[in-house]
């Protein structure tokens, strides 16, 4: 910092000296061409060079805002993924042996929380969503490649069910091309995970088929009679593995199949599920870990690529965890603090879109206090550096003025007019450069 300031003073001094000589040459030039050339050179020094100084200083200042001091920053950016984003309903083999359900007391994190970073965060847009929710929630009409729970897959599976069943000829159409509703619907479920979904799908079917009797028949699927639909839920648990946020907790990756059968035909709908309890029930998830501080970042509008959705989700988490100092937000988390992700591809007739959520563990209060102190120290150093530059520039201007006065005394006032013009240029440029340093 000292060397850079000293070099800046030398450059400014040479600049002022060249400016004075240019003004003197413009006054003493014997020919018109010499005067025009000197005047053009003086205008270049008075207008163009200060603009270059201004642009360079602004650029360096913008870069310094993005390069904030970090406390123990690591280059490790890898994040453990609980399951790869599936492109089909194929499920990878389990990476760990199955374990019993976790105890009531949650375990401590497997790795220490990375120390906070300290960098100036971007100002949030006024249209950003509130923490803890998707901005675009009405996505039931889309087909997703994965869902965060079996419960979350029920409504998309049953969306537009009447028309789907008519297209598959499970339900018939009348003379005016309207779908003929069945007289009754029976629901069965196979497996404990599927049984818990029966009340939810029964409620959805009652809304889709108003006036139709919908009832549960247990775990054994019923053979449908005439004008009756049989709905069966089957959960195929393909793999299980330890959760990235708690190695004692096991999460399940599986396939939810909804088979609908009439007396003549049947069809099936499927949804891949990887359990992410923090996506839908953050309050319940956080209550299991009272000693840890979690933040969930959600992407904004549906994005055209997974990378854009991931970037927005992380930005939302950074905004939620940011600390404020002198009216400016400072980020304290980055990619290293992400412990789990949920990326969802939504398929539409005219293209696919993405949305994502990230689970971030925020450093403890003690580490955040250290980060706040680092921000304050950085601000003080920056302010003192600007003040030192401004004072040095004023000293240089005063020294130049004294030098011009000494030259006027030595020459007995013979070049007084030239020296007055030089002093005026020095004063103007000195004040401009000092104001530029302080700004």
């Amino acid at each position: 910092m000292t060397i850079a300031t000293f070099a800046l003073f030398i450059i400014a001094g040479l600049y002022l000296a060249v400016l004075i000589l240019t003004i003197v040459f413009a006054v003493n030039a014997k020919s018109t061409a010499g005067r025009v050339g000197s005047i053009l050179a003086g205008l270049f020094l008075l207008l163009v060079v200060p603009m270059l100084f201004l642009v360079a200083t602004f650029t360096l200042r913008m870069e310094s805002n993005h390069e904030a001091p970090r406390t123990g920053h690591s280059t490790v950016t890898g994040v453990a993924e609980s399951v790869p984003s599936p492109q089909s309903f194929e499920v990878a083999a389990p990476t760990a042996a199955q374990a019993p359900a976790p105890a009531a007391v949650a375990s401590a994190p497997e790795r220490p929380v990375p120390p906070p970073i300290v960098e100036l965060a971007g100002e949030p847009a006024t249209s950003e969503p509130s923490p803890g929710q998707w901005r675009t929630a009405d996505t039931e009409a889309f087909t997703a490649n994965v869902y965060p729970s079996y419960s979350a897959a029920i409504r998309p599976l049953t969306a537009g069910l009447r028309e789907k069943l008519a297209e598959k000829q499970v339900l018939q159409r009348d003379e005016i091309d309207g779908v003929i509703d069945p007289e009754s619907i029976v629901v069965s479920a196979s497996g404990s995970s599927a049984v818990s979904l029966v009340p939810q799908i029964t409620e959805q079917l009652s809304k889709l088929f108003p006036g139709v009797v919908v009832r549960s028949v247990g775990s054994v699927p019923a053979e449908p009679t005439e004008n009756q639909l049989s709905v069966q839920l089957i959960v195929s648990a393909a793999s299980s593995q330890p959760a990235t946020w708690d190695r004692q907790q096991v999460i399940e990756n599986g396939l939810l199949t909804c088979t609908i059968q009439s007396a003549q035909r049947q069809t099936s709908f499927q949804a891949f599920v990887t359990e992410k309890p923090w996506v839908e029930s953050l309050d319940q998830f956080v209550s299991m870990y009272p000693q840890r501080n979690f933040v969930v970042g959600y992407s904004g509008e549906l994005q055209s690529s997974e990378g854009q959705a991931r970037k927005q989700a992380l930005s939302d988490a950074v905004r939620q965890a940011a600390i404020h100092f002198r009216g400016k937000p400072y980020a304290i988390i980055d990619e290293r603090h992400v412990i789990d992700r949920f990326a969802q591809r939504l398929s539409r007739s005219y293209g696919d879109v993405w949305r994502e959520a990230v689970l971030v563990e925020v450093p403890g209060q003690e580490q955040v206090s250290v980060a706040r102190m680092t921000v304050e120290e950085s601000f003080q150093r920056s302010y003192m550096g600007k003040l030192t530059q401004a004072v040095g520039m004023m000293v240089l201007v005063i020294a130049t003025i004294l030098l011009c006065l000494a030259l006027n005394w030595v020459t007995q006032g013979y070049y007084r007019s030239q020296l007055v013009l030089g002093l005026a240029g020095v004063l103007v440029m000195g004040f401009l450069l000092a104001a530029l340093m302080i700004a």
Side-chain angles (χ1 to χ4, degrees):
M1 183 67 179
T2 305
I3 298 176
T5 304
F6 183 71
L8 182 61
F9 288 162
I10 293 178
I11 294 174
L14 293 175
Y15 169 74
L16 294 176
V18 172
L19 179 61
I20 293 174
L21 292 176
T22 303
I23 295 175
V24 172
F25 289 155
V27 174
N28 293 332
K30 302 300 182 180
S31 64
T32 303
R35 289 187 178 183
V36 171
S38 299
I39 291 173
L40 292 177
L43 292 175
F44 178 81
L45 290 174
L46 283 172
L47 301 177
V48 178
V49 174
M51 289 298 298
L52 294 177
F53 265 110
L54 179 63
V55 172
T57 305
F58 178 76
T59 304
L60 292 175
R61 195 158 296 168
M62 290 295 294
E63 292 180 355
S64 65
N65 287 338
H66 292 288
E67 297 178 359
R70 297 174 178 242
T71 57
H73 179 68
S74 172
T75 58
V76 178
T77 58
V79 179
E81 296 282 353
S82 62
V83 62
S85 299
Q87 299 300 323
S88 66
F89 293 120
E90 297 180 1
V91 184
T95 58
Q98 294 190 11
V105 180
S107 65
E110 292 292 319
R111 60 181 177 86
V113 182
I117 65 170
V118 181
E119 62 182 17
L120 189 64
E123 294 292 339
T126 56
S127 59
E128 286 193 359
S130 301
Q133 65 181 25
W134 300 108
R135 179 179 297 181
T136 305
D138 187 17
T139 57
E140 297 175 9
F142 300 165
T143 301
N145 65 326
V146 64
Y147 295 93
S149 67
Y150 294 108
S151 178
I154 291 295
R155 295 185 67 178
L157 280 179
T158 57
L161 187 61
R162 295 176 74 252
E163 290 296 329
K164 293 179 182 177
L165 294 177
E167 291 176 2
K168 301 290 184 180
Q169 297 183 358
V170 177
L171 291 179
Q172 302 302 316
R173 297 182 182 273
D174 56 21
E175 296 178 355
I176 58 175
D177 204 29
V179 179
I180 302 175
D181 290 342
E183 294 179 357
S184 63
I185 301 176
V186 292
V187 180
S188 60
S190 176
S192 58
S193 298
V195 169
S196 63
L197 303 175
V198 170
Q200 184 178 352
I201 194 170
T202 300
E203 180 183 357
Q204 287 296 113
L205 293 174
S206 298
K207 294 179 180 178
L208 292 171
F209 299 93
V212 177
V213 177
V214 182
R215 58 188 177 89
S216 172
V217 294
S219 60
V220 180
E223 190 68 25
T225 60
E226 193 68 26
N227 296 327
Q228 187 182 59
L229 284 183
S230 174
V231 178
Q232 184 185 20
L233 294 178
I234 302 175
V235 171
S236 305
S239 66
S240 60
Q241 61 190 74
T244 57
W245 60 88
D246 186 351
R247 291 298 176 181
Q248 292 186 7
Q249 184 175 355
V250 176
I251 60 174
E252 184 177 287
N253 306 318
L255 191 66
L256 174 62
T257 303
C258 178
T259 301
I260 303 177
Q261 182 180 3
S262 67
Q264 295 81 21
R265 294 177 179 272
Q266 75 173 26
T267 186
S268 297
F269 305 98
Q270 294 179 320
F272 184 86
V273 174
T274 178
E275 290 184 324
K276 303 287 185 180
W278 51 269
V279 174
E280 295 181 305
S281 304
L282 180 59
D283 293 338
Q284 183 179 356
F285 176 82
V286 170
S287 64
M288 298 173 58
Y289 306 92
Q291 303 301 323
R292 300 168 67 181
N293 187 14
F294 292 104
V295 165
V296 176
Y298 292 84
S299 57
E301 300 291 347
L302 299 176
Q303 300 298 317
S304 59
S305 68
E306 184 178 3
Q308 292 176 342
R310 177 166 298 184
K311 181 179 179 181
Q312 283 202 354
L314 182 59
S315 298
D316 180 54
V318 169
R319 176 180 59 85
Q320 295 181 51
I323 61 175
H324 290 78
F325 180 76
R326 295 184 179 270
K328 294 183 178 180
Y330 285 84
I332 61 172
I333 61 174
D334 61 3
E335 187 77 21
R336 298 171 303 139
H337 298 83
V338 177
I339 60 177
D340 201 14
R341 300 183 185 275
F342 176 74
Q344 189 178 51
R345 186 184 72 246
L346 302 169
S347 299
R348 305 175 296 184
S349 58
Y350 49 91
D352 295 344
V353 290
W354 290 85
R355 66 179 183 179
E356 183 163 331
V358 293
L359 177 64
V360 177
E361 185 161 8
V362 181
Q365 188 60 41
E366 183 177 350
Q367 289 182 310
V368 173
S369 299
V370 173
R372 188 180 294 274
M373 292 176 59
T374 304
V375 173
E376 187 171 0
E377 291 174 359
S378 175
F379 179 83
Q380 294 295 338
R381 287 196 301 269
S382 175
Y383 178 77
M384 292 302 297
K386 293 179 182 179
L387 184 61
T388 302
Q389 291 178 357
V391 171
M393 188 62 63
M394 294 305 299
V395 170
L396 184 62
V397 170
I398 294 174
T400 306
I401 293 175
L402 294 177
L403 177 62
C404 291
L405 293 176
L407 290 175
N408 181 66
W409 178 76
V410 169
T411 57
Q412 296 182 354
Y414 187 77
Y415 295 102
R416 180 176 298 172
S417 59
Q418 293 90 330
L419 291 175
V420 169
L421 291 175
L423 282 175
V426 168
L427 290 175
V428 171
M429 291 306 305
F431 281 113
L432 287 177
L433 290 175
L436 184 63
M437 295 299 176
I438 297 175

